[in-house]
């Protein structure tokens, strides 16, 4: 095969050479061709060697970076310059490897490449790759000639051993600390609660002032979520401000919070409002309320001037709670409001040690071993009472062996003479350098997101996979490995968990602003990513690998066209320049991750298919009723793994999507997939498919939807599926298809007002989340076979089914959340009885639309683990109660002003009683 190129050259090139070249030139042609053939023949071996070389260089870079940080700014310039050169070399290696893989995959998938012109073209492309490899090797050798690798060799092995031990210990650690484990805030918490609840009637600003890492947000959250505070105020709004903020976006966020608490939809009109209109709308919605609004992490002394007018003073005890590092921010509020200021002090030595022990010795119930008592006190003292520093150091040391020598070694690296801000920076640096190299890349990826940004855990891990950060681990899927990476970062307290599902799965996360600042510094040191926003722009010299854009300024954006960019994340609050969006496929051809998430979306670029490396594409902003179209060129995205159109509505999806055989996650709003009915079954890599809209307004003889559903049965890897507007005549096909989906974990069926009963002879054994929203005329007995089911939502047609369902589910061991509603509005069903031993592990229970329900009887021993319910007796652990849509007799009996049964739930901290419909999703805070 390799001699084929020489044969082709003799047949095609030599006649031309004899005719047009001088004899002396001809004598040199064959040796050149032979050399080219040898180079082409050696490309696979060279690529394998380059992969090994890449690993060695990355190890060296991480060790050199650690050395540069230790030496400080004055002596590390030479090391930093060398690191920059090596990083650019790794970028070129990665590009060549990617190019080779892409070309080989195209060759293998196209049999025509083996003959004729395509054959020559393929060999020429390989020759180009061979030349690039030679150039990279020469460049690396030049760098090596000017440096010594001796120091690196000794440290790499020990680092590897340390990381192996750390990871093993981390897997045993808890996800995060419970609120009960946070210490030292008892006194300031009581002071703040008193200011909020017992204060004057006039609007008052309560400010918590302290340096970064001292626990301002943690304290404010404990106060904000306190039972007394929740019961005292009618409206509760939490807003994170940060250094860079958009006032109009903050005002919209306030309104969305208010609408959500009122259980109403957010009017689309607020997205067209200007600043003055938004201020008026906020004032109008707060007019009759005693409200508490929390503004977390305020930096600018001008903030109060901008937000003051929106925070109406209705003289009924409303409060504004602010956290800030700057006393001047608190003082700036005094010009128009009463102000209370609490300066948060560092933790005492005793409280610091208590917090450290809980984190470092979680496996010993927070008890410090005797041999580590002295060194633990020494380490804690160097954390100078800063909770963030304490939990990060505790998390890091929890991974190490409990040997005195190793802990003393660590302590020596913390400089007690540094100022407070430098000390925590030093501690964060130690924690970062203690990470394995692949976790470093995952942590640094947060640098592409704005400060204080809450990130979906699934989105984040899918972006890591697209970038190639996630390495294969035998016996695990890449998704499982990526989730493990996130778990490790959370356990080290470098990433904060924001929300989790009822069964403990991570929904969203963020990083502390001090960690974010450290990440941005490392991103600059290691050329990891660049950021462009209105008030700050990274230097764009050299190779730019990843780019985050949070501005729509033409002047700033025009300078960012860099062909080596792998991740491009656009989060501008206003539409990006159309010319820039249109040029993305031609100017950023090596993109693996593309996020277009501004609030004024333009159309998807027509030549999107030019991005042959693309693995993750997210397109969405604020949904405003407009429909978009995907270009047919999407068929060329052969490597696409995630297509996320969550926040945007599209027209009928093009049938060409069926050719995306590597697509794992296909996500959108009310997606019409009828055009895919003849090919979607070939997309066998799909793991996520939602939300599929089945209402195609077909007549009785039209079976297109059934044919589509039958094709879905071929998707054996599906783990999540959502079908909307389901009709009764589809149910047989749906049941048959779902029987084949053995890996299904999350299933949602939304009916169209017709019977949606499924008959599953062999239900998916891994199903943990099931929602059947529609007319359920018969209780599916197969539900009781779902031993992994954690969350269930059903709507019954006949109220008499309620008892059947309860008896069917009462002993399911893993059921944690049950939502049961009644569609029989003429029902005479009056009593709901939970007997002793029923639902022992259930944590959430929602019961709605039982209009004639008069009694809920709960025996002692039933619902023993319940934390959230809409009712109750003998429920000492109950934290949340929401009662809605019940009959008049029942509502009168529980009325706050004299209801005979109101006493039953007086012990419940959070109670909400409403008359209307059941909200789309349970409120997070009541």
């Amino acid at each position: 095969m390799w001699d084929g190129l020489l044969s082709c050259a003799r047949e095609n090139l030599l006649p031309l050479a004899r005719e047009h070249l001088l004899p002396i030139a001809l004598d040199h042609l064959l040796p050149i061709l032979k050399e080219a053939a040898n180079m082409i023949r050696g490309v696979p071996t060279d690529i394998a060697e380059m992969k090994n070389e890449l690993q060695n260089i990355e190890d060296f870079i991480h060790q050199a970076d650690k050395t540069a940080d230790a030496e400080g700014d004055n002596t590390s310039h030479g090391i930093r310059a060398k690191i920059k050169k090596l990083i650019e070399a790794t970028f070129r290696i990665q590009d060549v490897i990617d190019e080779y893989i892409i070309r080989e995959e195209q060759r293998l998938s196209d049999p025509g490449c083996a003959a004729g012109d395509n054959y020559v073209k393929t060999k020429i492309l390989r020759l180009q790759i061979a030349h690039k490899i030679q150039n990279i090797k020469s460049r690396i050798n030049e760098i090596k000639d000017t440096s010594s690798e001796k120091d690196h060799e000794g440290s790499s092995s020990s680092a590897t051993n340390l990381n192996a031990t750390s990871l093993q210990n981390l897997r045993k650690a808890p996800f995060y600390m419970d609120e009960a484990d946070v210490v030292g805030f008892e006194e300031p918490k009581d002071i703040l609660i008193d200011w909020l609840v017992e204060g004057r009637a006039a609007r008052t600003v309560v400010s918590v002032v302290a340096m970064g890492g001292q626990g301002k947000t943690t304290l404010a959250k404990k106060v904000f979520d306190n039972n007394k505070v929740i019961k005292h105020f009618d409206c509760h709004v939490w807003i994170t401000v940060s250094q860079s903020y958009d006032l109009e976006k903050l005002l919209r966020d306030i309104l969305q919070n208010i609408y959500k608490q009122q259980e109403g939809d957010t009017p689309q009109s607020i997205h067209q409002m200007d600043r003055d209109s938004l201020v008026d709308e906020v004032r109008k919605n707060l007019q009759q309320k005693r409200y508490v609004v929390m503004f977390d992490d305020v930096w600018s002394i001008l903030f109060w001037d901008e937000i003051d007018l929106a925070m109406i003073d209705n003289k009924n005890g409303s409060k504004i709670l602010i956290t800030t590092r700057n006393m001047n921010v608190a003082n700036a509020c005094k010009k128009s409001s009463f102000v209370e200021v609490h300066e948060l002090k560092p933790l005492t030595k005793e409280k610091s040690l208590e917090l450290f022990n809980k984190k470092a010795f979680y496996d010993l119930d927070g008890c410090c071993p005797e041999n580590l008592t002295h060194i633990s006190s020494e380490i804690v003292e160097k954390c100078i009472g800063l909770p963030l520093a304490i939990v990060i150091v505790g998390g890091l040391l929890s991974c190490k062996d409990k040997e005195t020598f190793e802990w003393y070694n660590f302590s020596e690296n913390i400089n007690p003479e540094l100022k407070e801000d430098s000390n925590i920076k030093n501690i964060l640096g130690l924690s970062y350098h203690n990470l394995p190299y692949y976790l470093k890349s995952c942590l640094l990826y947060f640098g592409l997101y704005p400060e204080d940004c809450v990130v979906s855990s699934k989105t984040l891990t899918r972006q890591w996979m697209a970038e190639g950060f996630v390495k294969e681990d035998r016996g695990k899927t890449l998704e499982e490995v990526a989730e493990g990476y996130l778990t490790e970062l959370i356990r080290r307290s470098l990433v904060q968990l924001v929300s989790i599902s009822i069964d403990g799965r991570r929904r969203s996360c963020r990083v502390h602003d001090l960690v974010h600042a450290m990440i941005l510094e490392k991103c600059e040191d290691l050329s990891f990513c660049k950021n462009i926003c209105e008030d700050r722009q990274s230097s764009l010299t050299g190779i730019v690998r990843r780019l985050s854009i949070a501005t729509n300024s033409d002047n700033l954006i025009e300078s960012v066209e860099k062909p080596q960019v792998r991740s491009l994340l656009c989060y501008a609050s206003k539409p990006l320049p159309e010319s820039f969006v249109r040029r993305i496929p031609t100017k950023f051809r090596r993109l693996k991750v593309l996020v277009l998430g501004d609030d004024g979306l333009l159309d998807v670029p027509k030549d999107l298919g030019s991005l042959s490396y693309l693995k993750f594409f997210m397109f969405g902003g604020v949904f405003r009723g407009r429909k978009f179209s995907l270009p047919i060129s999407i068929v060329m995205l052969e490597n696409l793994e995630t297509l996320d159109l969550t926040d945007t509505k599209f027209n009928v999806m093009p049938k060409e999507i069926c050719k995306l055989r590597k697509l794992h996650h296909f996500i959108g709003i009310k997606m019409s997939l009828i055009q895919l009915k003849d090919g979607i079954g070939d997309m066998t890599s799909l793991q996520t498919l939602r939300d599929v809209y089945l209402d195609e307004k077909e007549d009785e003889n039209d079976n297109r939807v059934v044919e589509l559903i039958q094709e879905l049965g071929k998707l054996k890897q599906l783990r999540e599926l959502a079908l909307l507007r389901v009709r009764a005549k589809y149910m047989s096909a749906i049941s048959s298809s779902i029987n084949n989906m053995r890996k299904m974990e999350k299933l949602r069926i939304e009916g169209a007002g017709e019977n949606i009963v499924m008959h599953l002879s062999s239900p998916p054994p891994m199903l943990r989340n099931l929602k059947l929203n529609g007319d359920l005329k018969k209780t599916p007995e197969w539900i009781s076979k779902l031993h992994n089911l954690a969350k269930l939502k059903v709507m019954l047609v006949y109220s008499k089914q309620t008892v059947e369902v309860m008896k069917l589910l009462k002993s399911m061991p893993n059921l944690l959340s049950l939502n049961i509603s009644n569609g029989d509005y003429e029902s005479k069903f009056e009593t709901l009885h939970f007997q002793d031993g029923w639902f022992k592990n259930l944590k959430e229970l929602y019961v709605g639309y039982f209009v004639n329900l008069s009694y809920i009887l709960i025996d002692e021993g039933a619902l023993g683990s319940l934390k959230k319910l809409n009712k109750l007796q003998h429920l000492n652990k109950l934290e949340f109660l929401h009662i809605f849509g019940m009959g008049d007799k029942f509502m009168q009996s529980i009325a706050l002003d004299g209801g005979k049964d109101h006493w039953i739930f007086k012990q419940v901290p959070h109670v909400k009683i409403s008359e209307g419909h059941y909200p789309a999703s349970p409120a997070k805070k009541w």
Side-chain angles (χ1 to χ4, degrees), residues 589-602:
R589 287 186 176 274
R590 293 189 178 274
L591 279 180
K592 292 191 171 186
V593 175
L594 175 59
V595 176
L596 297 176
D598 61 89
D599 280 357
L601 289 172
L602 302 166

Side-chain angles (χ1 to χ4, degrees), residues 777-794:
K777 291 185 178 179
K778 186 178 183 202
T779 306
E781 295 189 4
W782 51 263
I783 290 179
S784 62
K785 300 177 183 178
L786 301 173
H787 300 299
N788 290 299
L789 192 67
K791 190 169 186 176
L792 174 64
K793 180 177 181 180
V794 293

Side-chain angles (χ1 to χ4, degrees), residues 471-500:
K471 308 303 178 186
E472 291 186 359
D473 192 352
R474 182 178 296 178
K476 295 182 180 179
T477 65
L478 278 184
E479 285 80 4
E480 290 169 339
V481 177
E483 288 171 6
Y485 288 4
L486 182 57
T487 298
E488 290 169 16
L489 291 172
I490 291 170
R491 286 170 176 166
R492 291 174 184 261
S493 296
L494 289 169
V495 173
Q496 299 173 336
L497 198 55
V498 175
S499 63
I500 59 174

Side-chain angles (χ1 to χ4, degrees), residues 854 888-895 898-903 905:
S854 299
D888 292 339
K889 185 177 179 181
F890 183 86
M891 298 300 277
Q892 290 170 7
S893 73
I894 63 169
K900 63 182 179 64
D901 295 324
H902 178 67
W903 64 272
F905 53 80

Side-chain angles (χ1 to χ4, degrees), residues 686-689 715-720 741 743-744:
L686 271 180
Q687 297 178 18
T688 306
L689 181 60
L715 306 179
K716 305 295 180 61
Q717 300 299 316
L718 264 187
R719 287 164 169 77
E720 181 175 356
M741 299 174 182
K743 296 185 178 181
M744 182 66 67

Side-chain angles (χ1 to χ4, degrees), residues 581 596 602-608 617 619 628-631 650:
V581 176
L596 297 176
L602 302 166
D603 288 325
V604 180
K606 284 188 170 47
D607 53 347
L608 183 71
F617 179 46
F619 183 87
F628 295 82
S629 296
L630 282 176
F650 278 75

